[in-house]
Amino acid sequence: GATADEKEKALNVYLTEKHTDVRQAGLKDPTNIKIDEVLTLYTIERVPAYADPDKTKSRIRFLKAFWSGKMLSDVTGKTCREYARTRPGQAARRELEDLRAAITYHRREGLHDRIVSVVLPEKSPRRERWLTRKEAAHLSLTTWRHRSAPAGNGAVTRSRQHVARFMVVARYMGSRASVIAAASIEPKRPATGPWIDLETGMFYGAGVGERETTKRKQKTPVPFELLGHLRRWRKNGQRYAVEWHGKPVQSIKKG
């Protein structure tokens, strides 16, 4: 039988064809438009231009699992709340924001003629408890000293030191995890990706000529204490603020 990817591609082709038929037929009433078609159009025409299209596509899969078979007119406060109950924490809010964006794009393209409102769950309460300086230092030191289970040859390694470095950089900079993990500390600024200039002490959230995204990437001075750590790491051969076996860490979630 067909694989999941093949089925997904076939469904996208089918929905794209159906979407074209709807354009030609001029059926703009939300009661005649499937949400599958709205999400597929958005995935094909808008998502590829995003900074991280794979994450958006992943969220859209959750949307399709619930909304598949429903019409655009079925998007109401009641159905949005039902969707929110199927997803954890703030995931539902972020995914419904994608649904809202897809519906807005569909309407701006002139493909439906009424405003369809997506009702979002309330935002999570603001964080009130923060780590103290002592707690943060203890957490970083414990992570740095962590020893992994013996490998096949009986050797014990400290396999969490990159996580400790991430904690140090994140505490001083407050940048998004993906920016911290990819930040280069090489002498020359890269064409793409964030860079820390160890000579001037400036942090550039984007590379030379890199396309700006909706989440503006910061340009800011690096605190003197952190700059000292980074210069020492660079002297010891490190090329990125957070790296694993000489390469930038793609994600810190597992660590």
Side-chain angles (χ1 to χ4, degrees):
T3 65
D5 286 343
E6 290 171 340
K7 290 179 180 178
E8 178 73 14
K9 289 178 181 178
L11 177 61
N12 285 343
V13 170
Y14 168 75
L15 292 176
T16 302
E17 292 174 349
K18 291 288 289 182
H19 167 72
T20 302
D21 291 341
V22 169
R23 285 194 194 189
Q24 294 170 347
L27 300 177
K28 296 185 178 182
D29 191 314
T31 59
N32 295 321
I33 300 169
K34 293 182 178 179
I35 297 178
D36 282 313
E37 297 173 15
V38 175
L39 291 172
T40 296
L41 175 69
Y42 184 67
T43 302
I44 293 171
E45 296 189 1
R46 291 292 297 156
V47 174
Y50 288 175
D52 193 343
D54 288 339
K55 283 188 177 180
T56 305
K57 289 177 182 178
S58 177
R59 293 192 298 267
I60 288 175
R61 289 191 191 100
F62 286 108
L63 289 169
K64 285 189 173 184
F66 178 88
W67 296 97
S68 182
K70 293 181 173 62
M71 310 305 288
L72 200 50
S73 56
D74 291 326
V75 179
T76 63
K78 180 175 181 293
T79 53
C80 289
R81 286 187 290 274
E82 288 175 356
Y83 179 80
R85 286 193 288 270
T86 69
R87 301 288 294 132
Q90 287 297 289
R93 182 182 176 88
R94 184 65 189 88
E95 289 154 12
L96 286 171
E97 286 175 344
D98 287 317
L99 176 62
R100 181 176 62 184
I103 292 173
T104 299
Y105 179 73
H106 192 270
R107 180 169 57 84
R108 286 177 179 171
E109 287 291 295
L111 302 174
H112 69 267
D113 56 6
R114 299 180 194 174
I115 293 177
V116 176
S117 298
V118 175
V119 177
L120 303 179
E122 292 294 326
K123 289 185 177 180
S124 295
R126 297 175 66 178
R127 185 192 303 267
E128 308 231 346
R129 170 69 168 89
W130 301 87
L131 290 176
T132 64
R133 183 183 182 90
K134 183 177 180 181
E135 288 171 336
H138 177 70
L139 183 62
S140 299
L141 184 60
T142 301
T143 306
W144 181 265
R145 291 174 173 173
H146 172 82
R147 293 177 180 271
S148 65
N153 58 4
V156 177
T157 60
R158 290 184 174 178
S159 59
R160 298 289 183 269
Q161 292 187 345
H162 65 295
V163 180
R165 287 194 174 98
F166 172 84
M167 291 177 180
V168 171
V169 179
R171 182 173 181 273
Y172 281 108
M173 297 303 299
S175 305
R176 286 180 289 132
S178 59
V179 175
I180 293 172
S184 169
I185 54 175
E186 292 275 31
K188 185 177 180 181
R189 187 175 178 181
T192 59
W195 178 59
I196 301 173
D197 187 342
L198 300 185
E199 292 296 323
T200 64
M202 290 298 296
F203 179 94
Y204 299 88
V208 178
E210 188 175 5
R211 180 175 61 85
E212 188 68 71
T213 65
T214 53
K215 292 182 179 178
R216 292 189 58 129
K217 295 178 178 178
Q218 65 188 134
K219 175 184 177 182
T220 185
V222 177
F224 181 76
E225 296 88 344
L226 174 60
L227 198 57
H229 287 303
L230 293 169
R231 286 170 174 166
R232 186 174 65 256
W233 299 346
R234 181 72 185 93
K235 188 177 180 179
N236 291 334
Q238 198 163 313
R239 300 167 55 218
Y240 298 90
V242 184
E243 67 180 29
W244 178 255
H245 295 309
K247 296 182 179 180
V249 175
Q250 298 299 314
S251 172
I252 207 69
K253 290 180 180 179
K254 183 177 180 181

